[in-house]
Amino acid sequence: MRKYTKVIAMVVAVLGIVLFAEKSQAATAGSLLSVTEEAQVRPIQDGSGMYLLKSDGFYCLKEDGSRDNRPAVHYFKDFTIDGTVFEGYYYHDESGKFQAHGPYMAYLKNLSVSSEDDGYTADGCYMINNLGRLSAAPQIRYIQQLTLNGKTYDSYYYFDENGKMNTEPGIFYISMDSNGRSFDGYYYFGEDGALASEAGTTPQGYVYDADGKIQNMDEDGMQRLKLSLKEMVADFEGEWSIYVKDLGTDDQLVINNRQMASASLIKAFVMAETYDNIDTVDQSEGTLLKKDSDSEEVSKKIGTLLTNMITVSDNESFNELVRLQTKKYDFAAGARKINKYLEAEGYQDTQVLHTLSPSSTTPVGIGENNTTSVKDCGLLLEKIYREECGSRKDSQAMLELLLGQKNHTKIPQLLDASLKIANKTGETDTSQHDIAIIYGEHTDYILCVMSEGCPKEENAIDDIRKISVMVYEYLENVPEADS
């Protein structure tokens, strides 16, 4: 009781509230009650060490009883004081008072607060409601000639469930009236987050009218993506093939699928056959090392060959693994063995026909160039993803190798670095390829891109990045109705 009495005394000293000692027994653990029933003090339970006072309004107090003179956001959960319920995030300015007036906008700068959801940082323009509550429902608001933090806002803007103004291009579902206009559906907010006021098309291929309302939300997403990709690659130099599959919905698209020189993409297929034919591979390596096929030395050597072939795209590791597919230790025999496996697995355009160079192997083959296609690559990646490429254990091992890829300059380059991406690249002087499994936040998907006849390497690599960003925008930034 002594520490609570001390805090009460501090509040009295600062605010001039008359307290009666005989009523001090009304104080309970975790709360401080004045005797007048007109003023109450409660500790704010968000870890800030601050108190809430009710007198002629609601004030945030420091531990010594003085007002908090720094802008702050506090989190309340089922918090009642003098009959008023606080629920959610609340803001006060340097006056320390939770203002009791109509909605207004304020710019909040990096104000962090603890909550049941591990905390929240308010940073940006916010719509603030009665008693300083950050708006608790998604909404659209008309802002007229208001300047905050050096920017002037003069349009309709979208605010999220915490009252924060959206300032980036995006699509949001709205069902409400605002400033004499009725909104019902999906709407596009463009530059600086302002509602679109002229008809156009979003980066995801959605068409919106002069009021910003999306007109083709119900159209098939893959069809929109396919048309947009075709329009994009029409301006690229060379020939391009693209395969996309949404692994959540099984929706897919294929553009110009055809057999092409595989470059290092063929290594992913040799990886699959090596796991499928591992007993023979181990025996062949054991013979070379003069060790038992199940020895640690053999296992380690095969593991090193696979790792180097996939993660750093080592050509000699590829050549060696092809030779190890038969006990003859012969590239041509190994290639024929792999091709039988590929045919049986349904890879219609993929064949191992020649050694890869530069390497220490003298060039040899049963044909001119190794080949594959984006559909075959997509099929292989899906089998690995669904753990159906051989055994579950083998599929997991192959995925780990692809996740260990060192070359992220194509499909992954412009995507969020936090994304999990398993990919394999390939290239020649006039072709650039990349195939990948992308583990997105909204969905997982496969993207396979192959090209040939590209005169400039840097342009072709940049084109793959553009394709990757467009596919990501379509599949990941899917508008959803707010509940």
Side-chain angles (χ1 to χ4, degrees):
M1 284 301 300
R2 289 182 180 178
K3 63 179 180 180
Y4 296 140
T5 303
K6 181 179 180 181
V7 175
I8 294 175
M10 292 176 182
V11 175
V12 172
V14 174
L15 302 175
I17 300 172
V18 179
L19 305 179
F20 298 94
E22 63 266 29
K23 293 293 186 75
S24 64
Q25 296 300 319
T28 59
S31 66
L32 298 173
L33 303 178
S34 76
V35 297
T36 63
E37 298 182 357
E38 295 176 359
Q40 296 186 35
V41 179
R42 296 281 192 278
I44 300 174
Q45 303 298 320
D46 63 2
S48 63
M50 299 295 183
Y51 293 82
L52 185 68
L53 165 75
K54 167 63 167 63
S55 57
D56 63 331
F58 294 92
Y59 296 88
C60 182
L61 303 183
K62 301 177 184 178
E63 195 170 13
D64 64 2
S66 62
R67 292 189 194 179
D68 185 8
N69 58 4
R70 297 171 301 177
V73 173
H74 294 281
Y75 177 75
F76 297 89
K77 178 68 175 177
D78 297 326
F79 189 99
T80 303
I81 182 168
D82 199 27
T84 299
V85 178
F86 284 75
E87 185 79 24
Y89 294 99
Y90 287 75
Y91 164 75
H92 70 71
D93 60 18
E94 60 275 0
S95 72
K97 186 173 184 178
F98 293 93
Q99 302 291 341
H101 52 60
Y104 67 101
M105 265 185 63
Y107 179 76
L108 310 186
K109 180 66 175 177
N110 287 325
L111 300 181
S112 298
V113 58
S114 298
S115 72
E116 290 185 339
D117 299 323
D118 297 326
Y120 179 73
T121 298
D123 188 35
C125 293
Y126 283 78
M127 182 63 62
I128 300 173
N129 291 333
N130 190 39
L131 289 176
R133 184 181 185 183
L134 303 191
S135 179
Q139 58 189 280
I140 187 171
R141 293 273 190 168
Y142 181 68
I143 309 299
Q144 185 174 24
Q145 288 296 321
L146 176 66
T147 301
L148 284 175
N149 195 40
K151 290 186 178 181
T152 300
Y153 301 92
D154 189 26
S155 182
Y156 287 91
Y157 296 88
Y158 178 82
F159 295 82
D160 68 16
E161 67 277 5
N162 289 321
K164 183 175 183 179
M165 173 189 280
N166 169 68
T167 57
E168 299 292 336
I171 298 171
F172 300 97
Y173 179 81
I174 304 167
S175 182
M176 63 176 290
D177 294 337
S178 178
N179 195 45
R181 284 180 59 178
S182 293
F183 296 87
D184 187 20
Y186 289 91
Y187 292 81
Y188 179 66
F189 295 78
E191 186 176 356
D192 293 326
L195 179 67
S197 58
E198 296 180 357
T201 304
T202 75
Q204 300 88 12
Y206 294 105
V207 176
Y208 54 88
D209 62 18
D211 292 324
K213 188 173 184 178
I214 301 296
Q215 300 298 300
N216 61 335
M217 182 57 66
D218 295 331
E219 283 187 9
D220 178 74
M222 278 294 179
Q223 183 60 29
R224 286 187 291 103
L225 176 56
K226 185 173 184 177
L227 292 174
S228 296
L229 286 172
K230 279 187 171 182
E231 183 177 351
M232 174 185 280
V233 300
D235 295 328
F236 294 172
E237 293 182 293
E239 295 294 322
W240 292 79
S241 292
I242 304 173
Y243 174 89
V244 180
K245 184 161 188 177
D246 185 329
L247 293 165
T249 64
D250 281 340
D251 292 336
Q252 66 181 36
L253 68 84
V254 182
I255 296 175
N256 191 32
N257 181 72
R258 62 192 184 88
Q259 191 178 64
M260 290 186 179
S262 66
S264 288
L265 295 187
I266 196 66
K267 294 169 183 174
F269 294 92
V270 171
M271 172 183 67
E273 160 63 356
T274 297
Y275 277 96
D276 188 74
N277 191 36
I278 194 63
D279 289 342
T280 299
V281 172
D282 285 345
Q283 289 171 11
S284 298
E285 185 61 38
T287 300
L288 291 176
L289 296 178
K290 298 180 180 180
K291 299 284 186 179
D292 291 337
S293 61
D294 57 356
S295 68
E296 183 177 348
E297 292 90 338
V298 168
S299 178
K300 184 176 180 180
K301 180 60 180 298
I302 299 304
T304 299
L305 289 171
L306 284 165
T307 299
N308 290 342
M309 180 178 71
I310 298 300
T311 63
V312 296
S313 205
D314 180 62
N315 288 336
E316 186 54 32
S317 294
F318 164 84
N319 296 333
E320 179 71 358
L321 283 170
V322 174
R323 288 190 289 263
L324 291 172
Q325 299 300 319
T326 71
K327 295 179 182 180
K328 294 180 180 180
Y329 191 64
D330 174 74
F331 185 88
R336 293 188 180 94
K337 172 69 175 64
I338 293 171
N339 291 338
K340 288 181 180 179
Y341 163 81
L342 296 174
E343 183 179 5
E345 290 294 310
Y347 303 113
Q348 299 178 6
D349 301 312
T350 307
Q351 287 186 306
V352 176
L353 300 173
H354 207 281
T355 54
L356 290 177
S357 59
S359 69
S360 60
T361 296
T362 301
V364 62
I366 56 175
E368 186 173 351
N369 289 314
N370 303 315
T371 64
T372 191
S373 65
V374 290
K375 283 187 69 174
D376 278 4
C377 291
L379 176 60
L380 172 62
L381 292 183
E382 184 172 0
K383 287 182 178 182
I384 292 173
Y385 173 86
R386 300 196 187 283
E387 299 182 342
E388 296 171 353
C389 192
S391 69
R392 180 181 182 184
K393 182 179 179 181
D394 289 347
S395 293
Q396 291 172 344
M398 285 183 262
L399 178 61
E400 286 302 313
L401 287 172
L402 293 171
L403 287 169
Q405 171 64 239
K406 303 300 182 183
N407 186 347
H408 296 143
T409 60
K410 299 176 188 178
I411 288 175
Q413 179 69 25
L414 299 182
L415 302 184
D416 193 317
S418 66
L419 289 175
K420 178 181 174 183
I421 300 176
N423 74 299
K424 181 71 193 80
T425 62
E427 55 272 329
T428 68
D429 291 341
T430 59
S431 65
Q432 292 291 330
H433 313 320
D434 200 6
I435 61 174
I437 304 169
I438 296 91
Y439 293 81
E441 294 182 8
H442 178 78
T443 190
D444 300 338
Y445 64 94
I446 289 170
L447 171 60
C448 300
V449 183
M450 296 182 68
S451 67
E452 62 183 14
C454 303
K456 294 182 180 180
E457 174 184 328
E458 62 273 19
N459 289 350
I461 292 175
D462 188 54
D463 291 340
I464 291 179
R465 294 170 181 169
K466 292 175 182 177
I467 291 170
S468 178
V469 169
M470 176 176 281
V471 173
Y472 180 84
E473 289 292 330
Y474 268 78
L475 298 183
E476 280 298 297
N477 296 332
V478 178
E480 295 181 359
D482 296 298
S483 57

